[in-house]
Structure formats: C-alpha cells, structure tokens
Amino acid sequence: MEKQEIEPSSHLSVIIDLSPTQWHLASLQNNNELQPQSSQQVLTFRSFITQTLAFLNSHLALKHENTLAVYGALPGKSVLLYSPTVPKSETEDISADANSYLPFKVLDNAVTTRIGEELDALRDEDEEAPCDLVGALTKSLCYINKLLTSTPATLDATTPPPEPRIVIMSVSPDQSASYIPLMNSIFSAQKLKVTIDVCKVFGPDAVFLQQAAYLTGGAYIYLERRDALLQHLMMTFLPPPSIRRLLVVPTQDKVDFRAACFCHKTIVDIGFVCSVCLSSTSPSKSVQFVSQKLMAYLLQFVQFSVNLSQSVQPVGTSIFLW
Amino acid sequence: MPPRKNDDYMEVASDDSLPSDVDEVYNGKSKGKGKGKATERKTREKGKSKNNEQPYAWEASYVRSWDTVQEDEAGSLQGAVEDLIARNRRRRLLAPSTAIRRTIIRHLVLVLDLSSSMMDRDMRPTRFDLMLEYARSFISEWFDQNPLGQIGIVGMRSGIAERIGEMSGNPQDVLKTISERHKLEPAGDPSLQNAVEMARGSMSHLPTHSSREIIIIFGSLTTVDPGNIHDTLDACVKDRIRIAVVALAAEMKICRDLCDKTGGSFGVALNDGHFKDLLFELIPPPAQRAVSRAAGAGAGTSNPTADLMMMGFPTRLPNTSAPALCVCHSDLKSEGFLCPRCSAKLCDVPTDCDICGLMIVSSPHLARSYHHLFPVKPYSAVVDGAKVSPSNACTGCSSSFSKSSASSTITDGVSPFGRYKCPDCKNDFCTDCDVFVHDVVHCCPGCGK
C-alpha cells in the first residue's frame, strides 16, 4: 500500500474586535471625511456577524478535524465566545433542525448569544475604554499552546499536529500603551509557529497589527470594499498557511520598522538608543539635555514602568517608555 | 588482512564488554565475588566505616535514575512530573520580582574545546558532536533573546587558540562558521590561557555599556599554557570580562577560579540533558553588576554605563523593488534593507553596515529585549481550599479545573488544585498556562501587562 501523507488539520482562532464606539462609527452614513475611499459602503455589525459566521462555518466544513475558537475583545476585557472544549451552558437547548448542519448551528448560536450577553453587560462608562486585544491574543496563544502540547493519546504518531493560526478582525486604532505586550505576544506566536492574519475592517491602518502579520508571515488586509468582506475572508484567510504558499495572497509592501524618538516624537532614520532601557532619541542639539534627563531617570529605573508610557500618542512604531 | 580484522573485532568486543565489566564490579561489591578484590575492599572499608563517608564517586552505590522516580498507587507518574514542574516554579520564584538592570547589549565569545579528549564517547555520539549540536541551538536561542548581541567563536586545538568566527551580530554568519564539521576536527591538547587571551583581545575595544562574556565548553582535564594563567585571570577581572565554564569531564580548580573571580557560573555536565540545561541557563541576559554602579557613585557621576548608542533604522525594500547587489554577499536581490547613512543595501538586520559600520536594527529587535526589563510577576499558588475563586475554568486556555484537589501532599509552590493566581488581576491559571505565560509570552492574559 502506498504511504499517503496525511494533511494536517488546522486550528483557527478568530479574534473579533467588539468596540461599540467603533462599530457605531462604522455603521454611520456620513463619515466621508474620515475614510473617503471606503465610505461608499456601510457595514453594520449585523451584516458583519452574518458574513463572519459564514466564514467560520466554511472553515469547519473544509475538513472534519478542523477546530475553531472565537474570542471577543471588549472594552477593558476579553472573552472566549466559542470553543469546542468549553461545556455549553445547560439553558442552551439546541434541537436538531432538518435544514441546518448541527455543528454550524451550535457555533452560530453560541457566538451570537455570547456577544449579545457581553454587550448587554457593558455599562455606559465602560464603553470608552480601549479594547483588550492583547488579552484576547494571549488567551488564544495559551489555548493553542495547550492544544499543541496536550495531544491526546488516542491519536497515533502518524497524525501530524494541527496547524494553528489566528485571524484578527480589527476596528479599533492602535493603542500605544499595549505596544510591549503586543510585541511579546507576536514573538511568542513566532515561537509557536502561529500565523497571525489581520483583517482591518474599519478605521485607520493599524501599524502594530501590520507588524504582527509581517513578523509571523500572515496577511494584512485593509478592507477597501466593505460589502466584499466575505469574499476577502474566503479568498485570503480560509486556506491554511501550508496551502497559502501555493496561492497568491496579498502581501504588504510598506511595513514601517523605523522607531520614533521620544523627545520630538518624529520618526528617525538614525537615532541614539539608550544602552540600558533602549529608548531612542534623535541626533539633534537636544541630545545633551535629553541624556541628562535620561540619567536622572535611570536612577529611578525601577519606578518607571508602563504607566508612564500611557501618556504617549502613537507615532509610527513608537518605542517610548515615557 | 586478518590481523587487522582481528583488531577490529577486539575493539568491538571491548566496547561491548565495557558495561558488563562495570556490572561485575558492582556485583562483586554487593555479593562479595572475587576474593582478591573483596579482601582489599574490606580493609579499606574498615578504615572508612568510622567516618562513614565515601571518598570516591565510583565507590558510591550505583544510583539508578529511574528508581528516584516514584509511581503513585495508581501506577502513574503524575506525581513525579508534578514534582519536576514544582521545582521549575520554585526556581522562578527565587528570581527577583522587581525590575533589575540587565545588560541588553551583550558581547560573547564562545570558546569550544577542540582537543582530542572531545572524542570521548561518554556522551552520545561523541562529546564533540553533541557540543556542536548544542552550540548551534544555543546560538539561535541566544540571538532570539538577545537580538542586539554579538557572538564570536574561538576554538582550542593543538595547544593554540584558533579564531573560528569573527564577532558578528548575524545568527546566520555565526552558525555558518561552525556548520562545517570537518574543519573543526578535534586534535591535540587545549590551551585555556591562549583561548582566553584571544577572546579578551577581541573584546578589548568594546565600549563600557556592553557586557563582555566568555563561555567555555571544556571537555579536557588538562590545559597547556605558555605562561601564568593567573595573570590572564587578573587581566580579565580588570577588564570586567565574565567567564562561564561548562565542563564535560570533571571540575578543575583553575576553571572554578576563572568563574568565581570573574562572576560567571561554573557547572559540570552530568549527562546530555544536564549539559544542555547548563548551557541554556547562560542565555538570559545577566544582571548588571553592582561593581559598575558603585564605581560610578564613587566617581560622582550618576552612572557611567548609561551611554547612548548610535543606531540606524533601515528602510525595508519590498519584494517588488528593482533588484540590486547587496553589500554583504554581492547577490542580486530585490528584497533588502537600506542603510540610512550610506544607503548601502543589506540582506538582513540586525547587523553592522559593511560600508559605514553603523549598527542597523529595526524597532521589533529593540522590543524583543523588553521582556527582560519588565518580567511578568510570578503567580501565587492557590493552596487554601476555602479561598478558591468561583471561576471554574483557566483564564488562559479556558480548560476547566478539576473540582477536587489532585494530590494530597502539599509541595512548596505547587497548588493542590492546579490553580495559580495572578497578583494583579486575581485571575486563576492552570499549570500549563502558568509556565507558558512566564517562559514564552511574558504577558499576563488577564491584565495584559
């Protein structure tokens, strides 16, 4: 008998950005000033969820062994919306329906009800908080890690481990405060060989997520025609990374890897980097002054921490620490 | 040639008989076989039994490592595995929780022993092959965690030191220098002094903010030195070079001295796994030594080691740009990076520009070092059953916790419920996620810090 190579199954983690503010802006008719080229189409959250669920269903339909986990990034927290391992709540009663495939129905029900619950639970003052994208990303990495390390004993050795990947559906702009944790998650994704794909549905380009996609070998797509969301998802994000090598998937040419100086917040080509804390400054007259200030900071090195970086606005790939 | 053939047979036979010989010796010990040996031993034991200690390792009882792993009543090894995890946890808890200054810009010379003693087969296949294998994985992992560091490689062979690889910040370049096994074939005796002097010479020009480190993988029990090695040691202490030695054979006084006086670590590898552990413990950046700070305070300045380094952030050329020759390999390529100062085209970052010598990095490389500066706080083990939080799933991977306590014996630092709590966000995590978060992600899923 000819030995046949078994194609690995693939695991997909989808992170959905559920920022109420941003989704409200996306559904408005008159935001021409913000995004002139993409304002012709309006994408409501309802149609977004319908199209995303169709994409998730097709991932499950592609191969019987394929697995799926759906995370939601809400303002200030992150939740698991659906995963096959989590026991469903008892109240949920899913009766078999002749017109729908049961796994699809379970998934659709779980995702829609969980989103509804979480959004209802949000208080008004919470809505302005930035979305906890990093939490959702690290949780999905933990999930994938568990999936890869604890291979069930029932599987024989010939079955390859599942190919993991993460798709982020983003609507919020970058948050400079989460730069370091986000980078840490990206590097651990690199270590686990997890591809991160980014679909920017609404809002300005997210430089951090561009870097995430570039560093892990994924695709970053800015959705220019928002009514074509499902088509983009199907054509770009459905094939697993091993097959994607044979396809022409949109790549990004202009990922900016330059750093911004912390004194003038301008992007620099050549800068001076502190040997202790790795913050960069521009080569100008103020270096003398800055370095003195830096010395003063270094004495209290222990105290300076991320809370100082929260006051900084994002400029390019800023790497400020204060 | 029959005699030659015989020789071969002899060799094979002796190889095979070696373990059984050892067994016989041990049997002889326990059962009292072999009169001559037994009487001899008895007389020796008489003298020994008074102070009740065994002077030599080979006289100790034969320790079988598989006996130390205990099965529980159900016959599973779960308990033993948990114990191993607990040991790892405890080691992490020992680490200081506050931010300490670590040397981010590191310079390392890896000294490889290429003497004939490296052909010993006590580690499979040989010490030499194992060393090369681990050296390769060490270098890739080292550059992964220290993207701004540089590694040079020096070999000790036939009584002299050989420069195998120049100091370089590009992992591919360093790996290439030790990729060809036949060029590194072991021969002769090693010379510690020559190797350390060569390593010291190659690091003499470095600025004060960078660390200077030497890691010696030493398989021999002798060293052939042209002069007084203690002078070299004093010079290293003066130059603030940190020397770490991983010995494959046994502890030597001079190796221990080299490490103790320069602030490095010394270890003798017990087996393959321990060798790797010893080597990989040297990967995280060391805390900056108090010596430099004290010296700075004495001089009246705030801190002499906080320097500003000039670095260039390159422009990345996309796949679709017009192909051009790169300065590093003279290959025609369309991808690449442009040096911001001299506009030379480079293949890979981080590196030093070949034309103008500017240090070229990209901002993710800087970001990669941050987790050393801001480590995740260690999680505390949930021990008290009454204080178990109502959530019944791990915050990280959402796998559910077991309701009852898994093990009755409470080991230090291990939760009987398999729950570990983040001190900041008060969320519970399972054992796997605890290890994963602290060792790989460096970011707590609950609080995002």
Side-chain angles (χ1 to χ4, degrees):
Chain A
M1 200 177 81
E2 199 180 310
K3 209 175 178 181
Q4 203 175 352
E5 201 175 306
I6 305 166
E7 248 181 59
S9 61
S10 69
H11 169 83
L12 175 68
S13 283
V14 178
I15 297 169
I16 303 175
D17 190 342
L18 295 173
S19 162
T21 326
Q22 295 297 324
W23 276 111
H24 176 67
L25 287 176
S27 65
L28 285 184
Q29 294 281 344
N30 314 320
N31 51 359
N32 291 4
E33 316 85 58
L34 291 173
Q35 296 294 325
Q37 81 276 27
S38 60
S39 57
Q40 298 91 340
Q41 311 87 28
V42 171
L43 185 71
T44 58
F45 186 65
R46 189 172 296 275
S47 80
F48 165 78
I49 283 296
T50 327
Q51 297 186 41
T52 309
L53 285 177
F55 165 67
L56 299 181
N57 285 343
S58 50
H59 169 78
L60 289 181
L62 210 57
K63 200 171 163 72
H64 186 255
E65 291 86 6
N66 279 1
T67 51
L68 183 68
V70 185
Y71 289 87
L74 287 147
K77 66 171 182 173
S78 53
V79 288
L80 176 70
L81 300 174
Y82 167 83
S83 90
T85 51
V86 168
K88 287 154 210 77
S89 54
E90 294 80 22
T91 53
E92 240 175 282
D93 181 35
I94 297 155
S95 53
D97 183 354
N99 290 323
S100 61
Y101 181 49
L102 190 61
F104 291 177
K105 202 174 171 195
V106 172
L107 166 72
D108 294 0
N109 267 347
V111 172
T112 43
T113 48
R114 288 283 286 140
I115 289 179
E117 280 169 24
E118 292 297 338
L119 288 182
D120 286 342
L122 274 185
R123 286 171 298 160
D124 282 350
E125 61 266 31
D126 293 340
E127 283 178 16
E128 294 302 317
C131 273
D132 189 15
L133 183 69
V134 174
L137 192 58
T138 39
K139 276 180 189 174
S140 59
L141 283 170
C142 283
Y143 187 88
I144 288 170
N145 177 52
K146 190 101 171 179
L147 199 77
L148 293 179
T149 49
S150 63
T151 357
T154 50
L155 288 177
D156 54 326
T158 54
T159 317
E163 267 188 296
R165 66 184 203 274
I166 297 175
V167 173
I168 303 176
M169 311 264 199
S170 162
V171 286
S172 311
D174 281 330
Q175 302 140 27
S176 59
S178 65
Y179 177 66
I180 295 172
L182 186 68
M183 283 321 253
N184 281 338
S185 335
I186 294 171
F187 296 134
S188 44
Q190 267 183 324
K191 251 186 198 162
L192 288 176
K193 296 197 170 57
V194 176
T195 312
I196 298 180
D197 295 315
V198 179
C199 181
K200 189 78 190 162
V201 181
F202 172 76
D205 265 330
V207 183
F208 297 170
L209 294 179
Q210 276 183 339
Q211 294 195 5
Y214 175 77
L215 290 171
T216 55
Y220 175 93
I221 286 193
Y222 182 81
L223 209 59
E224 288 187 358
R225 284 186 58 92
R226 283 196 228 126
D227 50 351
L229 171 68
L230 183 59
Q231 191 182 357
H232 274 108
L233 291 177
M234 289 291 194
M235 305 300 279
T236 316
F237 300 130
L238 192 57
S242 55
I243 296 175
R244 231 182 274 175
R245 264 178 275 137
L246 309 172
L247 305 171
V248 181
V249 174
T251 52
Q252 17 175 3
D253 281 344
K254 46 171 196 358
V255 185
D256 202 342
F257 279 123
R258 287 178 300 171
C261 79
F262 77 86
C263 44
H264 303 103
K265 303 191 172 65
T266 46
I267 306 249
V268 289
D269 278 336
I270 302 177
F272 291 94
V273 175
C274 167
S275 65
V276 176
C277 64
L278 303 178
S279 57
S280 58
T281 70
S282 67
S284 68
K285 279 187 209 161
S286 66
V287 165
Q288 196 58 42
F289 162 70
V290 169
S291 60
Q292 280 169 4
K293 204 166 98 184
L294 207 121
M295 300 290 183
Y297 272 120
L298 287 172
L299 287 177
Q300 322 155 349
F301 181 68
V302 179
Q303 280 103 331
F304 90 76
S305 61
V306 189
N307 66 342
L308 288 157
S309 72
Q310 281 166 352
S311 59
V312 177
Q313 294 301 307
V315 180
T317 61
S318 61
I319 52 159
F320 312 131
L321 287 173
W322 52 75
Chain B
M1 271 196 285
R4 175 119 189 97
K5 215 173 184 180
N6 262 345
D7 268 10
D8 276 0
Y9 274 126
M10 283 284 282
E11 244 179 59
V12 172
S14 68
D15 245 17
D16 281 347
S17 65
L18 194 68
S20 63
D21 270 357
V22 173
D23 278 356
E24 242 171 54
V25 172
Y26 283 115
N27 285 343
K29 232 179 170 180
S30 53
K31 291 174 193 167
K33 270 185 200 167
K35 273 179 191 167
K37 269 185 195 169
T39 47
E40 199 183 295
R41 200 190 59 246
K42 256 181 199 167
T43 51
R44 240 192 296 166
E45 267 179 1
K46 262 181 199 168
K48 228 188 307 160
S49 55
K50 278 170 194 164
N51 46 11
N52 201 13
E53 59 176 351
Q54 286 160 319
Y56 299 114
W58 60 84
E59 292 192 332
S61 65
Y62 194 49
V63 179
R64 292 182 296 176
S65 53
W66 53 90
D67 277 352
T68 58
V69 178
Q70 292 293 326
E71 291 179 357
D72 58 11
E73 305 86 40
S76 92
L77 293 172
Q78 195 61 40
V81 174
E82 270 168 13
D83 200 47
L84 285 176
I85 294 169
R87 215 173 300 158
N88 274 335
R89 273 187 59 82
R90 272 200 297 275
R91 196 169 54 189
R92 199 185 315 124
L93 288 173
L94 284 178
S97 56
T98 51
I100 47 167
R101 266 179 70 166
R102 293 183 178 274
T103 331
I104 298 298
I105 319 290
R106 299 175 74 184
H107 288 84
L108 168 72
V109 173
L110 185 63
V111 179
L112 303 177
D113 188 352
L114 300 177
S115 64
S116 49
S117 61
M118 291 304 282
M119 293 312 282
D120 264 12
R121 295 190 174 204
D122 57 348
M123 290 182 183
R124 297 282 158 181
T126 57
R127 285 179 185 177
F128 172 64
D129 284 308
L130 196 73
M131 175 184 74
L132 281 189
E133 188 194 324
Y134 285 164
R136 280 182 204 124
S137 46
F138 171 80
I139 289 167
S140 353
E141 184 65 25
W142 194 88
F143 275 113
D144 195 53
Q145 293 205 22
N146 307 285
L148 303 178
Q150 299 200 356
I151 289 187
I153 295 183
V154 168
M156 296 185 282
R157 175 158 59 179
S158 310
I160 54 165
E162 287 176 51
R163 198 182 299 281
I164 295 171
E166 291 289 336
M167 205 60 123
S168 163
N170 189 330
Q172 267 68 43
D173 287 353
V174 180
L175 286 173
K176 207 170 147 195
T177 55
I178 58 165
S179 62
E180 287 174 74
R181 187 183 180 279
H182 64 90
K183 281 192 185 163
L184 305 172
E185 208 56 55
D189 291 310
S191 168
L192 270 180
Q193 191 186 13
N194 282 337
V196 171
E197 282 292 351
M198 178 176 276
R200 195 170 71 89
S202 63
M203 289 192 287
S204 58
H205 66 284
L206 293 176
T208 48
H209 58 70
S210 67
S211 78
R212 305 168 193 194
E213 294 164 59
I214 300 177
I215 293 179
I216 306 176
I217 301 177
F218 200 58
S220 174
L221 287 172
T222 52
T223 163
V224 186
D225 294 335
N228 185 357
I229 192 166
H230 293 279
D231 294 344
T232 312
L233 174 56
D234 292 341
C236 284
V237 173
K238 212 177 87 210
D239 284 358
R240 295 218 188 101
I241 295 178
R242 195 189 295 252
I243 303 180
V245 177
V246 177
L248 302 183
E251 179 170 333
M252 277 168 71
K253 177 80 171 98
I254 185 61
C255 293
R256 171 66 81 179
D257 279 357
L258 281 177
C259 299
D260 286 352
K261 291 201 175 148
T262 58
S265 67
F266 175 83
V268 179
L270 302 171
N271 51 37
D272 300 10
H274 190 228
F275 177 26
K276 192 169 185 177
D277 286 350
L278 282 178
L279 201 56
F280 276 56
E281 267 169 27
L282 300 170
I283 290 180
Q288 216 158 47
R289 271 181 288 172
V291 183
S292 57
R293 187 174 288 190
T301 55
S302 56
N303 203 322
T305 55
D307 286 338
L308 293 174
M309 295 167 295
M310 195 189 243
M311 285 190 189
F313 299 97
T315 321
R316 191 173 71 95
L317 294 175
N319 226 344
T320 46
S321 60
L325 292 174
C326 71
V327 293
C328 31
H329 312 94
S330 301
D331 284 341
L332 200 62
K333 276 187 182 171
S334 51
E335 294 170 287
F337 298 87
L338 286 185
C339 168
R341 186 151 73 183
C342 62
S343 295
K345 184 172 172 174
L346 306 156
C347 285
D348 215 356
V349 288
T351 183
D352 285 345
C353 176
D354 282 351
I355 305 295
C356 65
L358 184 68
M359 190 172 182
I360 312 274
V361 294
S362 68
S363 53
H365 289 119
L366 296 182
R368 201 182 268 271
S369 299
Y370 282 146
H371 71 81
H372 297 304
L373 302 176
F374 306 109
V376 187
K377 284 184 187 167
Y379 294 167
S380 56
V382 178
V383 185
D384 192 356
K387 284 184 188 163
V388 170
S389 63
S391 71
N392 52 6
C394 165
T395 316
C397 62
S398 307
S399 58
S400 48
F401 291 119
S402 58
K403 291 276 188 291
S404 59
S405 58
S407 57
S408 51
T409 54
I410 292 174
T411 339
D412 179 31
V414 180
S415 160
F417 305 98
R419 289 171 181 241
Y420 300 93
K421 196 184 276 295
C422 171
D424 281 352
C425 62
K426 310 286 181 210
N427 281 317
D428 283 5
F429 294 89
C430 67
T431 319
D432 286 353
C433 288
D434 177 28
V435 173
F436 180 68
V437 163
H438 285 93
D439 290 355
V440 183
V441 185
H442 306 292
C443 166
C444 172
C447 39
K449 278 178 197 161

